[in-house]
Amino acid sequence: MMKKYFKHITIVSGALLIASCNDFLDREPLDKITPEVYFNNEADLASYSIKLYPEADFSTISPGQYGLSVFKSDNATDNQAASEGSTRWLPGEWRVGSSGGGWDFGTIRQCNYFFENVLPKYEAGKIQGNQANIKQYIGEMYVLRANIYFSKLQSFGDFPIITEVLPDKKDVLIEKSKRRPRNEVARFILSDLDKAISFLGESTPNGKNRLNINAAYLLKSRVALYEGTWLKYHKGTAQVPGGNGWPGASADYLKGFSIDIDSEIKFFLKQAKDAAQVVAEKMVNNLTKNSGERVARDKDLASKNDYYMMFADSNMEAYNEVIFWRKYSEGEGIRHNIQMELARNGGGSGYTKGLVESFLMKNGLPIYAAGSEYAGDDYLKDVIKDRDDRLGLFMKIDKDVVYYHEGKAVEAKLPEILNPAETRASTGYRVKKGMNYIERDAITHHVGVTGSLVFRGAEALLNYMEANYELDGSLDGFSQKYWKALRERANVDTDFNKTIAATDMEKEKLGDFGAHSAGNLVDKTLYNIRRERRNEFIAEGLRWMDLKRWRAMDQLKATPYIVEGFKIWGPMKEWYKKKDGTSALVVSDTDSGNVNSESSSVYLRPYQRNKVNNLYFEGYKWNDAHYLNPLPMDAFRLTSLTEGNLETSVVYQNPGWSKVSGESLK
């Protein structure tokens, strides 16, 4: 069992790994391939590294799958809601698994195998080929390992740091399974990224389809900002090394561990600020232009708005703001289904009322401070009127052009709030980001070849602004420049101080978890930095990461959050009349109910359609244990010093969780 469990940590044989690489038709048989004859030229390095990209936890469109893919990654947050709820919001329902759950080391192992075999050859000058390309592929592998570890850090916090290929020996494997404090893990990630930076250049042999130095700097700023703010807002809790109840304190091998938490916070925030600035200075004057056109392409598919098309183009190479993207290809058979979902239905997702209402008016005022200039929300067209362009561009409304057929525009239907779960517009506010207007992609399964944007320059500006304010309590000239650039592109008044002055935190907290940290309201400047981040990254999958590091859910322990969407009990209810004049909207506590009652709210409540087997009816609830994922039971069973006794494992569970499969909180 130990051998089976630790197959994700150990290298069973060199041939097993190398078999995953390509371009071997003209080489020795696979059973004869060894590190001695492999990794000797740049093509070997290029092939090995590119094979690991899909396994390195970058968020991209999923080939061959239905649904909105990466554009619904913010489901189960205060930004987007799926048709069905998530157990992250139900304390007691999220249960410990028997195995898996992300507690694995397979891709880390493959990275370590590469370094053990390649670095000695590189240092000895024994790898043939273009030296810049050789350095490029080594640098890529450091970024890949860093991103894998960053995924583990977000899920588990403390994690084993493994940098070598391990022998299949039980005592060694148990020893190497010992978790290291999360700040050490974060420092290790930054060290990998520093190494990557020393190897990578601005350009690659495959353009922006491969990792580059800007991607490494941007990821470094993301990781450092994550850890710096996590340590700041979780300080003193069991979620931070040295905090009250931290489970690492009970591990014998960590008895001598100590941490200067304030020094660590400053270290990570400074690292985030410095790394972000490197990229931000390159990008601030090169942000992709926004023409303001909601119809992003004309009948000949010529682009009318580059900012919109940056997320929906089949070739993202020419956009200066794009740092790293994934290519899809008809010829290579790498396609997806996302365009059909975006054009034809709600894709089992929807923006929340809280997200939609967070977008400012063009004059820079929140909607509650705008008076009669805010058109209201009786109709979708009213919701976007005179608002931040990002709302109108990336939210689909009725009569929007979704594709062209024989040169004629095909318009969007009404929000599909009554569809089956997988195609439902769960809140009535539908995702439009990424939709490309090509007819074939919009009406045919699995033929989409639009690219998937992974890293872009705007994040560097936002990372710098936040790190600067968290570190210094004020905004320097660079932050002010960056903030104005982002608002100018969104066609919002660039005077952010006017927005700050008009902000009412008691109103903002109603629809934005980011108004809180550790159960308290943050100051208005910090909140508006977070608002800018929320609005810029609409439907890009960063929200859960941000909410966790801000410790933004504590308030839900006392006050559950009811997800709401568009105003169904207003004029838009007429959209759902059947041919006989009766309404298709059914208010009932039974399974025939498909919409909440007007007495509960005039806004659509996707989790109050009815009460049948509905654990989410009373809203999102919270337990602090959910800030981190539980380790599976196998992590303890197979590392126990006494067989059958989980308490003798060298691995400790995350705070608040059981060690037993099927159980939930302690």
Side-chain angles (χ1 to χ4, degrees), residues 422-479:
E422 63 270 19
T423 61
R424 187 180 305 154
S426 58
T427 67
Y429 288 135
R430 293 169 292 181
V431 178
K432 188 182 175 186
K433 203 168 207 174
M435 191 177 69
N436 73 358
Y437 294 79
I438 298 175
E439 177 185 3
R440 186 201 65 158
D441 291 4
I443 64 176
T444 310
H445 290 290
H446 302 314
V447 295
V449 291
T450 51
S452 187
L453 208 169
V454 182
F455 290 137
R456 63 186 180 97
E459 183 183 351
L461 280 64
L462 287 157
N463 289 355
Y464 183 93
M465 289 162 51
E466 186 179 346
N468 171 210
Y469 192 78
E470 290 281 15
L471 192 62
D472 304 323
S474 61
L475 294 171
D476 64 18
F478 291 105
S479 286

Side-chain angles (χ1 to χ4, degrees), residues 44-175:
D44 294 342
L45 275 59
S47 175
Y48 191 97
S49 59
I50 202 66
K51 283 289 186 178
L52 292 188
Y53 272 56
E55 302 178 46
D57 295 323
F58 295 116
S59 294
T60 61
I61 295 172
S62 303
Q65 293 185 8
Y66 289 98
L68 297 183
S69 192
V70 69
F71 294 112
K72 67 175 182 181
S73 297
D74 281 333
N75 278 352
T77 70
D78 57 341
N79 277 10
Q80 285 176 240
S83 302
E84 299 172 342
S86 166
T87 55
R88 71 171 53 150
W89 302 114
L90 286 178
E93 292 299 320
W94 186 356
R95 302 186 182 279
V96 175
S98 60
S99 60
W103 190 262
D104 62 77
F105 306 86
T107 315
I108 293 172
R109 173 199 67 184
Q110 294 181 60
C111 293
N112 293 341
Y113 183 82
F114 176 92
F115 292 127
E116 281 199 6
N117 287 284
V118 169
L119 291 181
K121 292 184 178 183
Y122 170 74
E123 291 165 1
K126 294 183 178 179
I127 302 177
Q128 297 177 352
N130 182 289
Q131 288 302 300
N133 290 346
I134 292 169
K135 292 178 66 176
Q136 162 70 28
Y137 305 132
I138 295 173
E140 288 179 21
M141 291 299 298
Y142 278 117
V143 178
L144 294 174
R145 187 169 71 176
N147 202 59
I148 295 160
Y149 260 95
F150 183 41
S151 177
K152 307 302 183 185
L153 178 71
Q154 293 177 70
S155 295
F156 302 110
D158 302 353
F159 197 76
I161 298 175
I162 301 173
T163 59
E164 69 265 51
V165 177
L166 303 177
D168 189 18
K169 296 181 179 179
K170 181 177 180 178
D171 57 338
V172 174
L173 297 174
I174 288 177
E175 178 66 23

Side-chain angles (χ1 to χ4, degrees), residues 320-334:
N320 289 335
E321 185 179 338
V322 172
I323 292 174
F324 174 51
W325 67 286
R326 182 177 181 179
K327 181 181 178 181
Y328 296 81
S329 168
E330 180 80 25
E332 297 174 26
I334 307 172

Side-chain angles (χ1 to χ4, degrees), residues 11 99 138 200 232 242 364 435 473 535 550 592 666:
I11 293 293
S99 60
I138 295 173
L200 293 170
K232 178 175 181 176
M435 191 177 69
N535 296 165
W550 293 333
S592 65
K666 288 182 179 178

Side-chain angles (χ1 to χ4, degrees), residues 282-489:
K282 298 175 184 177
M283 294 292 172
V284 64
N285 295 318
N286 286 297
L287 295 177
T288 303
K289 303 300 181 184
N290 167 32
S291 68
E293 291 272 3
R294 292 197 69 251
V295 178
R297 280 183 165 177
D298 61 23
K299 60 183 177 62
D300 297 318
L301 300 184
S303 176
K304 298 178 74 175
N305 191 334
D306 287 344
Y307 180 46
Y308 179 94
M309 288 306 303
M310 179 174 68
F311 301 96
D313 217 328
S314 58
N315 186 348
M316 298 175 171
E317 200 69 21
Y319 299 94
N320 289 335
E321 185 179 338
V322 172
I323 292 174
F324 174 51
W325 67 286
R326 182 177 181 179
K327 181 181 178 181
Y328 296 81
S329 168
E330 180 80 25
E332 297 174 26
I334 307 172
R335 300 170 301 222
H336 54 72
N337 194 56
I338 194 170
Q339 294 306 325
M340 194 192 76
E341 300 285 346
L342 284 168
R344 293 179 59 182
N345 56 63
S349 183
Y351 299 134
T352 64
K353 175 175 176 281
L355 173 63
V356 170
E357 292 188 345
S358 72
F359 285 89
L360 300 172
M361 304 294 294
K362 288 185 182 295
N363 63 13
L365 295 176
I367 58 172
Y368 52 76
S372 61
E373 291 188 44
Y374 174 51
D377 54 14
D378 280 348
Y379 291 100
L380 296 179
K381 62 180 177 59
D382 293 339
V383 172
I384 68 172
K385 184 179 179 182
D386 297 324
R387 302 283 295 281
D388 181 326
D389 274 357
R390 292 171 292 197
L391 177 60
L393 287 174
F394 301 124
M395 185 174 78
K396 185 166 57 178
I397 68 172
D398 51 302
K399 299 187 182 303
D400 263 350
V401 175
V402 290
Y403 61 91
Y404 288 91
H405 175 61
E406 297 179 350
K408 184 179 180 180
V410 177
E411 296 179 345
K413 298 178 181 178
L414 304 177
E416 307 85 352
I417 64 172
L418 304 181
N419 275 25
E422 63 270 19
T423 61
R424 187 180 305 154
S426 58
T427 67
Y429 288 135
R430 293 169 292 181
V431 178
K432 188 182 175 186
K433 203 168 207 174
M435 191 177 69
N436 73 358
Y437 294 79
I438 298 175
E439 177 185 3
R440 186 201 65 158
D441 291 4
I443 64 176
T444 310
H445 290 290
H446 302 314
V447 295
V449 291
T450 51
S452 187
L453 208 169
V454 182
F455 290 137
R456 63 186 180 97
E459 183 183 351
L461 280 64
L462 287 157
N463 289 355
Y464 183 93
M465 289 162 51
E466 186 179 346
N468 171 210
Y469 192 78
E470 290 281 15
L471 192 62
D472 304 323
S474 61
L475 294 171
D476 64 18
F478 291 105
S479 286
Q480 294 179 49
K481 176 175 66 173
Y482 300 157
W483 204 344
K484 289 178 180 178
L486 290 166
R487 287 172 67 121
E488 182 178 10
R489 178 172 62 185

